[in-house]
Amino acid sequence: MNLNGEWDFGVGPERRFDRRIVVPFAPQSRLSGIGDWEETGVVWYRRRFDAFGSARLMLHLGAVDYRATVWVNGEEVASHAGGHTPFSVDVAPLVRDHDNELIVRAEDPVGDRSIPRGKQRTEGMGAPWFYTPTTGIWQTVWLEPLNRGGIESMRVRPDLDAGAVHFEIVGGGRKQVVATLDGRPAGTWLGDGDSGSIALTEVRPWSPEHPNLYGLEVSSERDHVSSYFGLRKVEAKDGRFFLNGEPFVQRLVLDQGYFPGGLLTAATDGDLRRDIELAKAMGFNGARKHQKIEDPRWHYWADTLGFLEWAEMPNFHAVSPEAEARLETEWRERVVRDRDHPSIVAWVPVNETMGLKDLAPDALADFQMRLHDITKELDGERLVMSNDGWQHAKSDLCTLHDYSAANVLRRRYSNLESALEAGAREEPPYLPGYSYHGEPIVVSEFGGIALEGGKFGYTKAAGADALLETYREMVEALMQPGPVEGFCYTQLTDIEEEQNGLLTFDRRPKVDLDRLRSITETPKAYL
């Protein structure tokens, strides 16, 4: 039962419901029905619902920013800290057939810069690359009836080399697991344990060009779960990135996931799909989802349409032991939620030393390595960056941010020595005690071209033709013979004051997409 729609709403420390809001849109957004709302630390939500008989009734909240407390029929049932990750609770013992009351309190202290909030504007952060913040519920709320003794969790590990899929399925007792491909059976497993493997009768790798997905049907006496997986393998070796055993050039676009009317929340599922389709039409084979944990439906469309993702953590802006613990906890939840998506090929827990600049180099390296090791422990099948852009500790890719002009890019990335020159960019590529060991080099931010007459951009172009020519010169500079094995262009869309997108905020292209695509797909040149 989807609980989105109109709820009672109120603002302030005391419980009150004197307004109406449309969930799941944050009160700062136009689609919430409020839009002109003033900043406050606490908001309240209330709605009523009828229940349906079940042994368990799970209440799911996709994301509530930042600290949530939940009551059902006057009883506190859940609390959660973390503005980007989901939480759930069984409310069956408290509900009745009719007229149940659900209340959610959200606390989002805008002045607390130790909270992981990414690009959401906070006090004293007026730069054009920070945007309208999000408070309260901003992803779907729903109820799910379940039997007792059913399946609790599932982890899927596709194995391209073995032509198999391995899985861990907790709960449900004796289970049958059936893999399918194009609706045909591709293998079956039957057993009483929580783990097993299926040798697939047909092997089709997943890639952006061929996003082959297998169905996975899990049945037990009390439950049935439908899912899917993609057979694919990512590696970084010999200075290159490999997808399914073949060298692969990542042509990514920076995507911050802000939407007209809804801010961090897309108005429709189709809007999530359309962003990926537009990026692919421009020649990009993936995105760096920047400083946002995106709605799970975006990951579904990335899997389905064939689109790589670097999955990032929204960072805090003032370091403290509490800030580090908050980020670590939410990052763990995020990796566990999303680690089975074939589209995700890399994890990015930290961007540009964000919020960490006051740390001494040793302390910075320690925190980065802790996040790196946690990520590898939770998911050893994807690449991990310790700090995207510069000041790396240990990373599977050497990622560099560089908004220089095309002539500088051409000179700098013509050879490995100049690409890694410590003083060439804002910060050195590596922290003291760490160095380059043959990782593939990806320029993971560059460009940022705005049209003359627009607002902020890292550089300006006098019209669409000039923008395309500047973009062509930059891409050709990175794809020349040299160490660069991939790039990420800034950025997909304009956002508020930052107007350096290839699309306007309402997703209108600024240039001819076919011409743009031919530039994006410029082949990598090798000597």
Side-chain angles (χ1 to χ4, degrees):
M1 178 188 290
N2 193 320
L3 297 181
N4 290 346
E6 282 203 352
W7 291 47
D8 300 324
F9 182 74
V11 174
E14 301 300 323
R15 185 180 295 193
R16 57 188 295 184
F17 304 100
D18 55 350
R19 306 185 72 171
R20 297 285 283 172
I21 191 170
V22 178
V23 169
F25 301 104
Q28 291 94 333
S29 72
R30 175 175 52 82
L31 290 175
S32 72
I34 298 178
D36 60 349
W37 176 74
E38 296 181 1
E39 302 297 342
T40 186
V42 178
V43 293
W44 296 86
Y45 297 80
R46 180 180 66 188
R47 71 155 291 164
R48 298 187 181 277
F49 65 93
D50 294 336
F52 30 85
S54 63
R56 301 170 66 204
L57 185 61
M58 301 303 298
L59 171 66
H60 301 283
L61 296 99
V64 183
D65 201 355
Y66 170 73
R67 189 178 294 109
T69 309
V70 182
W71 292 264
V72 171
N73 293 334
E75 296 289 333
E76 183 177 329
V77 295
S79 61
H80 179 262
H84 314 88
T85 49
F87 62 102
S88 304
V89 61
D90 183 4
V91 298
L94 294 173
V95 300
R96 46 190 177 253
D97 291 344
H98 301 287
D99 198 31
N100 295 281
E101 181 188 62
L102 168 62
I103 291 176
V104 179
R105 178 187 187 271
E107 181 183 2
D108 186 30
V110 175
D112 188 347
R113 298 177 67 172
S114 70
I115 290 175
R117 62 176 75 249
K119 290 300 194 78
Q120 297 183 50
R121 189 179 298 116
T122 63
E123 292 180 1
M125 301 175 70
W129 47 82
F130 293 105
Y131 321 120
T132 302
T134 290
T135 293
I137 298 171
W138 67 277
Q139 288 185 22
T140 293
V141 183
W142 78 103
L143 290 165
E144 179 186 18
L146 294 173
N147 291 322
R148 295 201 182 279
I151 294 167
E152 296 293 333
S153 66
M154 183 164 68
R155 177 83 202 277
V156 179
R157 291 187 175 89
D159 187 339
L160 178 61
D161 291 338
V165 59
H166 313 296
F167 46 83
E168 299 163 13
I169 305 169
V170 177
R174 187 167 180 81
K175 294 174 281 287
Q176 177 177 270
V177 184
V178 179
T180 62
L181 182 63
D182 296 335
R184 304 185 306 274
T188 301
W189 177 90
L190 184 66
D192 295 316
D194 290 341
S195 62
S197 299
I198 293 174
L200 300 166
T201 58
E202 188 175 353
V203 174
R204 279 200 216 162
W206 181 97
S207 69
E209 297 79 15
H210 303 286
N212 299 303
L213 293 175
Y214 291 76
L216 197 67
E217 303 294 327
V218 184
S219 301
S220 71
E221 182 182 354
R222 296 179 176 272
D223 212 347
H224 183 91
V225 174
S226 295
S227 190
Y228 64 86
F229 64 92
L231 274 180
R232 69 104 185 88
K233 179 181 180 181
V234 295
E235 299 170 279
K237 60 182 182 180
D238 303 325
R240 304 189 70 177
F241 174 81
F242 288 78
L243 179 65
N244 302 332
E246 299 291 333
F248 187 93
V249 176
Q250 297 183 78
R251 306 170 191 275
L252 312 178
V253 65
L254 195 78
D255 178 5
Q256 311 207 48
Y258 273 75
F259 296 90
L263 301 176
L264 288 180
T265 309
T268 69
D269 184 58
D271 290 329
L272 296 170
R273 174 174 183 158
R274 182 177 61 160
D275 274 5
I276 295 174
E277 291 175 333
L278 284 167
K280 286 177 71 76
M282 299 177 194
F284 297 106
N285 54 33
R288 182 170 160 230
K289 184 59 78 165
H290 188 41
Q291 287 298 294
K292 182 186 181 185
I293 299 176
E294 189 55 274
D295 188 291
R297 287 294 295 181
W298 188 93
H299 301 302
Y300 165 80
W301 286 119
D303 296 341
T304 302
L305 299 173
F307 199 60
L308 305 182
E309 180 193 358
W310 289 16
E312 197 165 321
M313 177 65 201
N315 293 154
F316 51 71
H317 299 284
V319 68
S320 67
E322 184 178 31
E324 293 181 11
R326 286 170 168 173
L327 188 143
E328 180 180 322
T329 297
E330 197 167 359
W331 180 244
R332 285 178 180 273
E333 294 175 352
R334 186 272 154 83
V335 173
V336 169
R337 191 196 80 171
D338 294 333
R339 61 189 174 184
D340 285 352
H341 286 286
S343 56
I344 296 178
V345 296
W347 299 110
V348 185
V350 177
N351 169 68
E352 290 187 350
T353 324
M354 189 178 289
L356 301 169
K357 291 181 170 58
D358 291 337
L359 289 180
D362 287 350
L364 175 58
D366 288 345
F367 182 56
Q368 290 183 192
M369 286 308 303
R370 187 162 80 246
L371 292 173
H372 174 278
D373 293 345
I374 287 169
T375 310
K376 286 289 189 181
E377 178 185 347
L378 293 172
D379 176 36
E381 300 170 11
R382 287 165 180 80
L383 307 182
V384 179
M385 264 67 77
S386 58
N387 185 17
D388 195 73
W390 54 59
Q391 289 187 315
H392 288 274
K394 182 179 180 181
S395 292
D396 291 322
L397 300 174
C398 175
T399 59
L400 304 171
H401 295 177
D402 197 331
Y403 286 102
S404 301
N407 62 324
V408 176
L409 297 177
R410 180 170 293 279
R411 181 176 66 253
R412 182 170 292 156
Y413 298 104
S414 61
N415 62 80
L416 181 63
E417 183 178 6
S418 58
L420 296 176
E421 185 180 352
R425 288 161 296 268
E426 185 174 341
E427 299 286 351
Y430 289 90
L431 286 170
Y434 295 87
S435 60
Y436 179 73
H437 290 287
E439 302 87 7
I441 291 178
V442 176
V443 178
S444 55
E445 283 189 32
F446 79 104
I449 308 167
L451 293 173
E452 292 285 359
K455 295 183 180 179
F456 176 81
Y458 291 94
T459 187
K460 294 289 184 76
D465 287 344
L467 193 159
L468 281 170
E469 179 60 18
T470 304
Y471 178 63
R472 180 188 64 78
E473 292 172 350
M474 289 179 170
V475 171
E476 289 181 351
L478 298 178
M479 292 292 96
Q480 68 176 312
V484 176
E485 289 292 328
F487 59 76
C488 179
Y489 179 79
T490 302
Q491 61 180 321
L492 181 64
T493 75
D494 293 346
I495 309 173
E496 299 181 359
E497 298 296 310
E498 189 173 7
Q499 298 186 350
N500 51 21
L502 295 168
L503 306 171
T504 63
F505 192 40
D506 60 0
R507 276 49 175 178
R508 287 179 290 110
K510 295 182 182 179
V511 297
D512 182 86
L513 294 188
D514 289 335
R515 292 176 64 189
L516 184 69
R517 180 187 186 99
S518 67
I519 298 170
T520 304
E521 294 178 341
T522 299
K524 169 64 182 175
Y526 295 95
L527 292 172

